Amino acid sequence: MACKYSAIRNINIWGSLLVGAKVYMVMMEDDEPVISLISKNSSLKRSSEDVRLYKESMISRHDLFLESHLPVGSYKKLYSYSHLQNGFAIHVSSHEVLEAIRNARGVRKIEEDIKMKKLTTRTPDFLGIPSEVWPILGGAQNAGKGVVIGIIDTGINPNHPSFVDQSSSGDDPNGSFHSNSSSASKKFKGQCEIGEGFPQLACAGKIVGARYFSRAATVAGDFNASRDFASPFDADGHGRQVIHTASTAAGNFRTPVIVDGFNYGSASGMAPGAQIAVYKALYTFGGYMSDVMAAVDQAVEDGVDILSLSIGPSSVPPGSAAFLNVLEMELLFATRAGVLVVQAVGNGGPSTSSILSFSPWITSVAASIIDRKYNNSIELGNGRSFSGTGLSPPTLGMQNYPIAAAADVTTRNASFITIENCQHPEPFIPSLARGKLIICTYTFDFEFESASIAAIADTMQKIGAAGFIITMDPDLGSEQVRGTTTTLRVPGIVLSNMQASSALWEYYNSQTIRNRLGHVMAFTATARILDGRVASYTAQAPIVASYSSRGPDVNNALLQTADVLKPNVMAPGSSIWAAWSPNSEGDHHIRGKFFALVSGTSMATPHIAGVAALIKQKHPTWSPSAITSAMMTTANRTDHFGAPILAQQLNQLTPATPFDYGAGAINPSKAIDPGLVFNTKFKNYIQFLCSVPGVDDESVRRAVGVGCPTKKRRWCSDLNTASVTVSNLVGSRRVIRKVTNVDNGTELYEVHVTEPMGVTVTVTPQAFIIRPNKSRVLTIMLEAKEATNSYTFGELVLTGDRKHEVRVPLSIYVTSTIKS
């Protein structure tokens, strides 16, 4: 078989212990979902009366099914899923209640609900978008026009300057829903749900739809209306992702980024002319899959063009294949409906197989650092200086200030740990601390988030200190310090380098005069902190961020590797300036600020969603797989110096591989004109599922609603993607790919191969001419030369005489040279 095979028994959720009430997602098989009905009858429209009546009848049948099988009061239906799949989410009171419907006629599959977790002033310029892409699309304010990006996350703040449209107005005096989608894509029919923090005028121009989904979170007891807002309003700021991610994808052009009175520049989304539809399904505590499923179903029904998900499961789903999970199926049907799904790959790096976005129909995004750095420095009275981090203003004037260790300016009876992490002003003696630079220590408390740099800054303000210096606890060593991107109102610097920390303490101890009891008589060590708010730039980027989850992709929870390349592509994710909700409960250290500097694959994902919107605007008829292909085949494998991209490991940089960055770093100007694309259809994904090891026809039928075709593909690697991954090459294998010319001219292509170690690669034909809108089949023969017992990497490069260059990464694991 294609992927490393091991017979895996289907994991049955009924074998697990059920404790108390739980939520389950039940998929039914009698009725087709709305999207299937529409696909079979091209005259039907989503907004037609026939479709509305069909949807209502499906929901009624869900209700009748439950009423006929379960006692009144033993369950609560949370959602009916009708657009992409036929099913519902149900909250049951006991295992016995669930058993009553488990074997009922018409039930196709049941899965227990699980928790989901929440996985730019510079980046448009960094990606070359303003000069190379926006002019082609009519300028910045038109870039992405007519495209709606659906963002499933924690809500949005409609009053933020990144989204406000001063020219838009309109209200709906009669209802709790307001829609102003006249300037959006004509096919978008979404609504704006009014509620706390979300007034009738919230959807105006940039925001064209907003809803929230919290029923599963409510019955689980996690949802708190006073904290989480029973509306689309963002109380977390992950809108600290919707608001952060939405502004990164499609925020207004040139929004000033002013934080704590300092102007950090102007922020723009990747596609400032695109519009946003928000589906709030996550909260300060995370969220539940059944709520996310309802959000996806609604978003596709509303007519979004792109779905951006900076969320994912907390672990690989159980079962014979991660690809068959109900949410993965929901996203497959979204793709079938023509919606491109973009998802964060996860923040579990640099561990291998740490990705949390699995399926080949999803565009999974890795994160890179960019060329902008915020460095701070401190100059000591002895003439030495050290670099550190801290987005802080400088100490006043050019003079030096006395340095004092926290323990030397606090009361004697205070806890040493409380003193050294400087979290509270109470132990400090103001007369001693005032006007001094206080030395604090970064301890394990910061790693476990019981302490923060923001709290130190608050303490310094309250005691009247001139600023603070954070040194590293020797037991902790040099670490990637949490909170260094928090903007500060007081001077401060973090010396995360142990040598710098030790040198500071050596200087302080040598210059501080003490009496016989060890009490300080004179603070004669001095220093000044320079401005840490001014960025510097380097051409070495992009570099794969250490936290970015890595491949290889996996088939199942046993971590058996799959013939699928994940991640697909990489985008900027570290230290990204974007919009923030000032009401944020998700990170109280940034509360009250309209912008924040945040890192994660969650930040990389909307960059890809925004670039995809630009491609969709230029090529409105392209399929989701064509857009993904365009981004992958044109991605960069080199940094801005022209050297191979590197990846951050725990304490070093190493050469990056496709399991770190996918096909490479996004190149928007090339992605809108890729030359060739690899198209994949819904039936091809079904064929892929039917070739996954451990998956039988019945498993596919239960998950998808249709069985495997009579003529199956033998290998998972036969799926027509813009990459080739083989997790178990034994002897030889023939891999087929079909390319389609999306250029407006006939082009001659030549194929060049960089072979993975241990593999001979032969491509037929080695050269071909292809006319516009025509396709050509490529046969790729892989011959094992020697067993590598590890993945090795290469690529195909298709070079056209009209300047197109199409790159296809190869990732091959040679198990044996003996033919199977």
Side-chain angles (χ1 to χ4, degrees):
M1 295 295 291
C3 316
K4 292 179 184 175
Y5 180 80
S6 174
I8 305 167
R9 296 176 60 187
N10 289 332
I11 297 175
N12 192 323
I13 63 172
W14 315 111
S16 63
L17 178 63
L18 291 172
V19 180
K22 290 191 176 182
V23 173
Y24 290 87
M25 294 161 288
V26 182
M27 299 297 112
M28 306 296 286
E29 60 184 5
D30 289 341
D31 295 321
E32 290 185 299
V34 170
I35 196 66
S36 296
L37 189 71
I38 293 175
S39 66
K40 292 180 178 180
N41 188 342
S42 58
S43 65
L44 282 177
K45 304 298 181 185
R46 284 179 298 109
S47 57
S48 71
E49 182 67 8
D50 287 342
V51 169
R52 185 187 67 81
L53 292 173
Y54 182 80
K55 178 180 176 179
E56 288 182 357
S57 69
M58 186 186 300
I59 295 171
S60 295
R61 281 192 285 277
H62 294 164
D63 295 334
L64 288 171
F65 172 84
L66 290 169
E67 290 168 5
S68 64
H69 287 83
L70 301 178
V72 175
S74 65
Y75 70 93
K76 180 179 181 180
K77 191 187 79 170
L78 304 180
Y79 298 105
S80 273
Y81 305 124
S82 59
H83 194 75
L84 297 176
Q85 298 193 75
N86 173 17
F88 52 83
I90 181 176
H91 182 241
V92 299
S93 58
S94 68
H95 175 64
E96 289 72 25
V97 173
L98 195 59
E99 282 288 325
I101 63 170
R102 177 161 64 105
N103 296 314
R105 180 188 176 280
V107 173
R108 193 177 80 232
K109 185 178 184 182
I110 302 178
E111 279 194 21
E112 183 179 334
D113 201 4
I114 62 171
K115 262 197 169 182
M116 307 289 286
K117 67 179 183 179
K118 297 167 283 188
L119 293 168
T120 100
T121 53
R122 173 63 179 164
T123 46
D125 291 321
F126 177 74
L127 297 175
I129 290 175
S131 60
E132 300 174 17
V133 181
W134 286 346
I136 297 173
L137 302 174
Q141 295 180 350
N142 290 315
K145 187 175 182 180
V147 178
V148 177
I149 302 174
I151 299 184
I152 298 177
D153 214 302
T154 59
I156 199 164
N157 181 347
N159 302 312
H160 197 283
S162 289
F163 311 118
V164 169
D165 181 7
Q166 301 293 341
S167 64
S168 297
S169 62
D171 56 359
D172 179 3
N174 299 315
S176 62
F177 287 92
H178 166 68
S179 179
N180 183 30
S181 58
S182 59
S183 58
S185 166
K186 291 182 179 179
K187 74 182 182 71
F188 184 77
K189 305 298 180 185
Q191 293 178 310
C192 188
E193 190 170 359
I194 306 307
E196 186 179 3
F198 222 81
Q200 291 179 346
L201 294 177
C203 290
K206 175 63 67 175
I207 302 172
V208 293
R211 300 175 186 260
Y212 79 103
F213 303 83
S214 63
R215 294 173 188 172
T218 299
V219 298
D222 288 325
F223 181 82
N224 182 329
S226 63
R227 176 195 65 195
D228 298 309
F229 286 82
S231 78
F233 186 80
D234 173 31
D236 181 39
H238 193 267
R240 135 180 133 186
Q241 297 191 131
V242 174
I243 195 170
H244 199 285
T245 55
S247 65
T248 302
N252 285 333
F253 178 57
R254 287 186 180 171
T255 303
V257 178
I258 300 174
V259 183
D260 293 332
F262 187 82
N263 191 333
Y264 287 90
S266 296
S268 299
M270 303 299 104
Q275 290 170 304
I276 297 163
V278 175
Y279 301 86
K280 177 178 173 180
L282 272 82
Y283 300 86
T284 53
F285 53 84
Y288 288 87
M289 184 178 288
S290 58
D291 287 333
V292 173
M293 286 262 297
V296 173
D297 212 55
Q298 188 64 62
V300 177
E301 182 177 353
D302 287 347
V304 302
D305 299 290
I306 296 161
L307 268 179
S308 179
L309 289 83
S310 291
I311 57 177
S314 56
S315 61
V316 182
S320 56
F323 314 116
L324 298 179
N325 175 267
V326 289
L327 180 57
E328 301 293 307
M329 289 295 100
E330 185 81 356
L331 299 177
L332 171 59
F333 284 107
T335 303
R336 182 189 185 188
V339 177
L340 174 68
V341 179
V342 183
Q343 185 178 32
V345 78
N347 297 326
S351 300
T352 59
S353 289
S354 53
I355 52 93
L356 292 172
S357 177
F358 314 102
S359 299
W361 47 86
I362 299 170
T363 304
S364 306
V365 186
S368 73
I369 66 171
I370 61 173
D371 60 348
R372 178 182 60 208
K373 291 185 177 180
Y374 289 97
N375 291 320
N376 204 346
S377 59
I378 184 171
E379 294 181 354
L380 304 183
N382 63 2
R384 298 189 70 183
S385 63
F386 298 101
S387 294
T389 54
L391 287 168
S392 80
T395 46
L396 293 174
M398 298 296 292
Q399 76 270 24
N400 283 10
Y401 291 80
I403 302 173
D408 289 328
V409 290
T410 50
T411 57
R412 298 280 181 264
N413 59 353
S415 162
F416 178 71
I417 295 176
T418 302
I419 291 171
E420 67 174 351
N421 64 26
C422 302
Q423 294 298 290
H424 306 286
E426 290 79 13
F428 286 89
I429 304 170
S431 60
L432 291 179
R434 189 174 297 114
K436 295 183 176 66
L437 294 174
I438 308 299
I439 302 177
C440 307
T441 304
Y442 187 87
T443 64
F444 281 104
D445 290 337
F446 291 82
E447 292 295 296
F448 292 104
E449 299 185 351
S450 58
S452 72
I453 294 174
I456 293 179
D458 289 343
T459 297
M460 296 303 113
Q461 277 192 304
K462 290 174 181 176
I463 65 177
F468 62 90
I469 307 162
I470 299 179
T471 59
M472 299 300 295
D473 185 334
D475 292 334
L476 201 59
S478 297
E479 295 285 338
Q480 187 168 347
V481 177
R482 292 177 181 269
T484 55
T485 56
T486 301
T487 56
L488 303 169
R489 292 182 179 274
V490 300
I493 187 170
V494 179
L495 299 178
S496 57
N497 180 284
M498 280 303 304
Q499 287 75 21
S501 293
S502 299
L504 175 71
W505 278 110
E506 182 179 342
Y507 169 63
Y508 175 72
N509 289 327
S510 68
Q511 295 296 311
T512 301
I513 301 172
R514 300 177 184 272
N515 62 20
R516 293 179 180 179
L517 297 176
H519 300 159
V520 176
M521 303 299 293
F523 295 97
T524 57
T526 63
R528 71 187 185 102
I529 296 173
L530 304 187
D531 198 329
R533 301 169 299 182
V534 179
S536 61
Y537 299 90
T538 171
Q540 186 178 13
I543 296 172
V544 183
S546 60
Y547 56 80
S548 186
S549 288
R550 313 296 168 92
D553 194 11
V554 295
N555 282 329
N556 47 54
L558 299 179
L559 301 187
Q560 293 176 316
T561 53
D563 285 5
V564 177
L565 179 63
K566 292 292 174 181
N568 294 98
V569 69
M570 182 172 69
S574 290
S575 299
I576 305 300
W577 277 114
W580 194 268
S581 175
N583 305 78
S584 172
E585 293 290 338
D587 190 334
H588 62 276
H589 306 309
I590 314 179
R591 187 179 299 154
K593 294 177 171 56
F594 276 89
F595 290 91
L597 197 66
V598 186
S599 299
T601 54
S602 292
M603 282 67 246
T605 302
H607 284 88
I608 296 301
V611 171
L614 302 178
I615 299 172
K616 184 72 174 178
Q617 179 190 11
K618 183 83 162 61
H619 307 284
T621 62
W622 279 15
S623 68
S625 61
I627 295 174
T628 300
S629 170
M631 292 190 287
M632 290 180 65
T633 60
T634 58
N636 295 329
R637 274 74 160 182
T638 57
D639 63 21
H640 290 181
F641 280 130
I645 291 176
L646 299 175
Q648 291 181 337
Q649 298 295 335
L650 291 176
N651 294 303
Q652 62 182 331
L653 292 175
T654 61
T657 75
F659 290 160
D660 300 319
Y661 56 47
I666 186 70
N667 185 326
S669 62
K670 289 185 177 180
I672 64 172
D673 181 25
L676 302 175
V677 297
F678 295 79
N679 266 313
T680 312
K681 297 180 180 179
F682 178 73
K683 66 178 182 181
N684 302 134
Y685 293 125
I686 303 302
Q687 291 171 328
F688 163 81
L689 291 172
C690 294
S691 65
V692 174
V695 173
D696 55 24
D697 289 14
E698 181 58 23
S699 297
V700 173
R701 193 194 66 78
R702 285 199 310 270
V704 187
V706 297
C708 295
T710 304
K711 186 177 181 181
K712 296 181 183 179
R713 293 188 182 275
R714 186 181 180 191
W715 308 111
C716 303
S717 56
D718 282 333
L719 186 65
N720 196 46
T721 58
S723 61
V724 176
T725 299
V726 177
S727 60
N728 184 24
L729 180 62
V730 177
S732 64
R733 184 180 303 183
R734 185 181 70 169
V735 176
I736 302 297
R737 290 292 184 269
K738 180 190 284 188
V739 294
T740 301
N741 186 0
V742 291
D743 190 48
N744 57 10
T746 299
E747 193 159 6
L748 169 65
Y749 281 91
E750 294 182 353
V751 182
H752 306 275
V753 180
T754 300
E755 295 179 332
M757 186 177 67
V759 185
T760 298
V761 182
T762 305
V763 182
T764 306
Q766 295 184 349
F768 58 92
I769 295 174
I770 186 168
R771 297 193 300 275
N773 301 315
K774 297 299 182 182
S775 299
R776 190 66 185 257
V777 172
L778 303 178
T779 301
I780 305 165
M781 285 299 303
L782 305 173
E783 291 279 352
K785 293 190 297 184
E786 59 178 312
T788 56
N789 291 319
S790 65
Y791 279 97
T792 59
F793 306 97
E795 68 174 352
L796 307 181
V797 181
L798 284 62
T799 305
D801 62 359
R802 290 171 59 87
K803 308 301 184 183
H804 293 112
E805 191 172 73
V806 179
R807 293 180 175 272
V808 181
L810 306 176
S811 309
I812 313 296
Y813 190 114
V814 180
T815 305
S816 172
T817 59
I818 301 173
K819 292 186 178 182
S820 56

